[in-house]
Amino acid sequence: MWYDEDGYAHDDFEGSYAHDYEGFDEDTIYDAFEGDPDAYWNID
């Protein structure tokens, strides 16, 4: 997570399909997908 100059918090994967459309949070992407948001398609 990072913060812009106004103090607004952003996830590292904001803008990715896994985060924005599938709803996976930053921790899940790091843990389940080893930090690769494009690997979301590979889980059952």
Side-chain angles (χ1 to χ4, degrees):
M1 180 174 298
W2 57 277
Y3 297 90
D4 66 12
E5 62 275 352
D6 294 330
Y8 181 76
H10 296 275
D11 281 337
D12 291 340
F13 302 106
E14 229 173 68
S16 70
Y17 185 86
H19 179 272
D20 294 349
Y21 296 100
E22 293 295 324
F24 294 113
D25 65 359
E26 186 176 80
D27 291 332
T28 300
I29 293 172
Y30 276 123
D31 293 340
F33 309 136
E34 299 176 349
D36 181 7
D38 292 330
Y40 73 90
W41 61 268
N42 199 22
I43 64 170
D44 292 324

